Amino acid sequence: DAMVIQNPRYQVTQFGKPVTLSCSQTLNHNVMYWYQQKSSQAPKLLFHYYDKDFNNEADTPDNFQSRRPNTSFCFLDIRSPGLGDAAMYLCATSKTHEQYFGPGTRLTVT
Amino acid sequence: SQQGEEDPQALSIQEGENATMNCSYKTSINNLQWYRQNSGRGLVHLILIRSNEREKHSGRLRVTLDTSKKSSSLLITASRAADTASYFCATDGTGNNRKLIWGLGTSLAVNP
C-alpha cells in the first residue's frame, strides 16, 4: 500500500544533542511537509518542499533544518534540541489538495 | 499559523447520537478540508469541500460550507466509539502555495 513512513516512531534525545527524524513516501507526491504538534494543539507547519523548492515558515526556529535528497525522502534535523522542542513531529505529502500524514515521531528531550 | 476556530473545543456524546462540530475562518479560500486524528497518531483526511459547494456527504459524514459566513460544519451521524478522536478543519487560500491553515480542533469523545 502506498504510504508515508516515519522513523523512528519514538525518539529520546538529550538536551543539546542533535537529532534527525526521517520520512519516506511511496505516493510519489511532489510536496512534502514537516509539522510540529504539541499536546492538544493543532499541527504547526515548520517548512515544506514543493518539488525541490524549500519553503521555510517565518517563525520556524533556526535550530530546525530540513533536507530532501530525492522525491521519496525528507529529513528533519534539530541541531540543538531544547526542552521546548519535545513534541510530535508529523510528516505529510500532497499532490493536489489533500495531505497524507505519516504516523508521527514522538520526540522526548531529557 | 491558525486562522480557523472550531467549536466546541470538546464534545462528549453517547454512541448512536449525532456529533456536530463547527469551524470558522477568516480569509477567502479555495477549499476547506476536515481531518481526524486518533490519539498519538497522524492525521487522516476525511473530506474536502470546494468554495463553490455548499454541502457534501461521505458515508456518515456531512459537511456544509457557508462562504458568506466563513464557516463550515461537520456532522457525524450515528456515532460510534471508534469515532473518538480530534477533528481539525483546514483551509487553503486562493494562492497556490499548497499550505493549509489549521483550526484549533474539536476533541470528540463517544461513550459506549
Side-chain angles (χ1 to χ4, degrees):
Chain A
D1 285 343
M3 56 195 335
V4 181
I5 301 162
Q6 291 189 245
N7 286 304
R9 293 291 314 280
Y10 300 91
Q11 176 73 58
V12 180
T13 190
Q14 293 177 335
F15 183 94
K17 184 174 181 181
V19 65
T20 295
L21 309 182
S22 73
C23 176
S24 64
Q25 56 138 336
T26 60
L27 298 162
N28 202 32
H29 287 171
N30 60 332
V31 189
M32 292 188 78
Y33 308 81
W34 278 108
Y35 289 93
Q36 179 193 66
Q37 187 180 31
K38 296 189 176 181
S39 183
S40 302
Q41 295 183 18
K44 178 180 182 298
L45 182 65
L46 296 173
F47 18 62
H48 74 284
Y49 284 89
Y50 193 133
D51 294 317
K52 294 183 179 180
D53 293 336
F54 176 70
N55 299 272
N56 196 30
E57 292 302 293
D59 57 354
T60 298
D62 293 340
N63 200 23
F64 291 82
Q65 309 268 307
S66 183
R67 297 168 283 138
R68 188 180 186 186
N70 54 53
T71 301
S72 301
F73 286 87
C74 197
F75 299 96
L76 170 61
D77 301 308
I78 308 177
R79 291 192 295 185
S80 182
L83 297 178
D85 296 327
M88 175 76 89
Y89 290 87
L90 296 166
C91 174
T93 71
S94 77
K95 187 174 183 179
T96 56
H97 300 289
E98 299 89 340
Q99 292 189 11
Y100 295 80
F101 283 80
T105 294
R106 172 75 64 187
L107 178 68
T108 300
V109 181
T110 61
Chain B
S1 61
Q2 274 81 43
Q3 74 154 335
E5 294 185 1
E6 286 163 81
D7 76 272
Q9 287 188 333
L11 180 61
S12 181
I13 60 174
Q14 296 300 120
E15 219 168 12
E17 293 179 339
N18 296 342
T20 299
M21 290 160 266
N22 302 297
C23 167
S24 62
Y25 58 91
K26 297 176 183 174
T27 62
S28 297
I29 61 171
N30 279 328
N31 61 68
L32 184 144
Q33 303 177 46
W34 285 90
Y35 288 79
R36 182 188 74 228
Q37 185 177 32
N38 291 88
S39 180
R41 305 289 295 180
L43 288 86
V44 175
H45 179 263
L46 293 176
I47 195 166
L48 178 151
I49 186 165
R50 302 189 189 284
S51 59
N52 61 354
E53 297 176 310
R54 291 295 166 258
E55 188 171 313
K56 202 161 183 179
H57 297 253
S58 176
R60 293 184 296 114
L61 305 180
R62 173 177 168 253
V63 169
T64 62
L65 179 65
D66 187 335
T67 52
S68 67
K69 295 181 179 177
K70 291 188 168 59
S71 68
S72 174
S73 67
L74 171 67
L75 168 67
I76 304 174
T77 60
S79 64
R80 305 166 181 168
D83 295 327
T84 295
S86 292
Y87 291 82
F88 293 92
C89 69
T91 57
D92 72 340
T94 52
N96 190 27
N97 61 12
R98 297 291 189 89
K99 294 186 340 181
L100 292 178
I101 301 174
W102 295 86
L104 299 176
T106 293
S107 177
L108 173 66
V110 181
N111 305 302

